[in-house]
Amino acid sequence: MSGKKKSNWFKAHNNDFYVRLSKKNDYKSRAAYKLIELEEKFSLIRGSKNVLDLGCAPGSWLQVLSSFPNLISIVGVDRLEIDRIQGVEFFRYDISDLSLLDLLTKKFNSKFNLVLSDIAPNITGIVDVDQANFASVTENVLNISNKLLEIDGNLIIKQFNGPRLKEISNLLEISFKKIEVFKPKSSKKNSSEVYIVCKGFKDC
Ligand SMILES: C[S@@+](CC[C@H](N)C(=O)[O-])C[C@H]1O[C@@H](n2cnc3c(N)ncnc32)[C@H](O)[C@@H]1O
């Protein structure tokens, strides 16, 4: 990014309503408001005891989760380090690493009521490549949630609203009773991200 473009980006970022709100409320990022909106609409956190947050850094979703007194365990995974949050168990791993799946399965087999994934692969701007990268993230998230979700558990997974969204929704429909696509107001309008809310993990 050129110097001018960078300074325009910072100006727009600092003027962003949700950036200002997250600074005021001490959230690590504006992403907190996406989870808050997801919860307002779907009430999946308040009905859970154990939650796994994949791609959790810098940790604003973990902060939101920590404010729910009904949660017994909150587990976060990211390939980047995070500042530790009280009451959160963190694992620094890439989600494609099979030893993560092994470790989590041994520790938490079928324990989670809710799995979250806010992972976005690096965006290239080439729609086909970006969709394929999202497909590979989806496959890894599904491998993990298939092992770790309890029957009737739920999954919220970030995706691109592109040509392969339907295909991915169809794939998720195999494992879940109900699928809904949701775009929070706090998600930037010019971003094609959406969240697929998958309810009722089936015993396939
Ligand atoms: C949009 S951020 C998540 C923000 C987070 N929900 C929050 O509220 O702070 C996406 C995260 O996914 C992580 N990520 C991307 N690919 C990953 C992978 N293959 N394995 C683990 N983490 C990954 C990135 O390191 C990044 O921290």
Side-chain angles (χ1 to χ4, degrees):
M1 220 189 273
S2 73
K4 186 158 187 224
K5 263 195 189 154
K6 214 183 251 176
S7 108
N8 286 344
W9 182 88
F10 277 118
K11 224 182 264 168
H13 181 74
N14 288 330
N15 284 334
D16 179 286
F17 172 75
Y18 291 102
V19 171
R20 282 188 276 128
L21 203 57
S22 54
K23 282 188 181 147
K24 186 172 156 220
N25 292 319
D26 275 336
Y27 284 123
K28 290 174 190 292
S29 91
R30 69 191 293 297
Y33 293 97
K34 299 176 195 172
L35 186 59
I36 290 168
E37 281 186 63
L38 281 156
E39 180 58 13
E40 277 167 7
K41 176 134 176 90
F42 297 100
S43 305
L44 296 183
I45 303 172
R46 73 197 69 168
S48 297
K49 288 200 175 99
N50 306 307
V51 181
L52 174 64
D53 181 7
L54 300 172
C56 63
S60 69
W61 282 22
L62 294 173
Q63 289 176 296
V64 172
L65 293 171
S66 300
S67 68
F68 281 80
N70 53 295
L71 293 184
I72 296 168
S73 62
I74 302 169
V75 178
V77 174
D78 204 290
R79 58 187 178 193
L80 300 180
E81 195 50 75
I82 60 164
D83 292 334
R84 297 308 160 102
I85 297 170
Q86 208 189 353
V88 171
E89 201 169 348
F90 174 71
F91 296 91
R92 186 174 180 187
Y93 273 90
D94 191 296
I95 60 154
S96 62
D97 186 337
L98 289 179
S99 59
L100 170 74
L101 185 58
D102 220 39
L103 184 151
L104 292 179
T105 309
K106 278 192 187 120
K107 231 178 150 181
F108 305 109
N109 195 16
S110 304
K111 176 180 170 154
F112 291 101
N113 318 103
L114 177 61
V115 174
L116 305 171
S117 168
D118 196 19
I119 294 179
N122 290 336
I123 303 303
T124 64
I126 305 164
V127 175
D128 283 352
V129 173
D130 292 338
Q131 287 285 332
N133 288 343
F134 252 119
S136 138
V137 167
T138 307
E139 194 183 319
N140 289 320
V141 171
L142 269 182
N143 276 345
I144 295 174
S145 49
N146 281 345
K147 288 271 187 190
L148 296 175
L149 271 179
E150 65 164 21
I151 300 302
D152 250 357
N154 306 301
L155 165 70
I156 298 178
I157 179 170
K158 174 146 87 183
Q159 290 292 318
F160 258 167
N161 190 1
R164 291 176 77 170
L165 185 66
K166 183 76 193 127
E167 194 185 308
I168 287 166
S169 300
N170 290 345
L171 178 70
L172 290 164
E173 251 162 17
I174 299 171
S175 307
F176 292 88
K177 288 180 193 150
K178 192 168 181 206
I179 305 286
E180 280 180 72
V181 177
F182 180 66
K183 169 106 176 152
K185 281 205 282 296
S186 50
S187 168
K188 289 181 178 159
K189 287 197 179 59
N190 60 0
S191 150
S192 57
E193 76 177 6
V194 291
Y195 292 86
I196 307 187
V197 178
C198 313
K199 292 193 217 162
F201 181 59
K202 293 187 239 177
D203 187 6
C204 300

